[in-house]
Amino acid sequence: GVRFQAVQSLVQLAHEERARDALRYVLSKDVNQGVRVQAFQALVSYPDDKTLAVFRQQMEKDSNEFIRSQARLIVEGPDNGGIIEL
């Protein structure tokens, strides 16, 4: 509960680089899937190089299917040089 509440507070500050640093850390390290999903959803709006690097990592190793599949869509999407399969 405490980590989930903490990430919710960070979500409100996601427009700040330091908050995004913390959210990227949470996404890559937290054991709680719900906490990672919240961090992921907050970072989707800020696809900078650091965030995309974490998404690349998570699309291969995250235990949560939602994070893996959505990270793959973002990283391999048309705006990031990926190929869209029809």
Side-chain angles (χ1 to χ4, degrees):
V2 172
R3 288 193 326 270
F4 190 83
Q5 289 176 346
V7 82
Q8 288 295 91
S9 295
L10 288 171
V11 167
Q12 301 300 317
L13 300 171
H15 60 279
E16 296 181 17
E17 181 62 30
R18 291 183 76 181
R20 288 194 305 277
D21 285 340
L23 288 165
R24 286 187 288 264
Y25 179 82
V26 167
L27 177 58
S28 63
K29 302 291 184 188
D30 203 284
V31 297
N32 184 302
Q33 290 186 37
V35 171
R36 289 195 319 274
V37 167
Q38 290 297 309
F40 176 81
Q41 289 178 322
L43 289 168
V44 166
S45 298
Y46 303 94
D48 59 22
D49 289 340
K50 290 179 186 177
T51 299
L52 290 174
V54 174
F55 285 1
R56 278 185 201 93
Q57 175 186 7
Q58 295 309 107
M59 73 184 209
E60 299 296 333
K61 74 166 193 133
D62 202 283
S63 64
N64 183 282
E65 175 62 31
F66 173 79
I67 292 173
R68 283 195 321 268
S69 64
Q70 293 301 304
R72 184 173 309 282
L73 286 173
I74 292 166
V75 168
E76 295 178 352
D79 293 338
N80 293 311
I83 297 171
I84 300 290
E85 294 183 24
L86 300 176

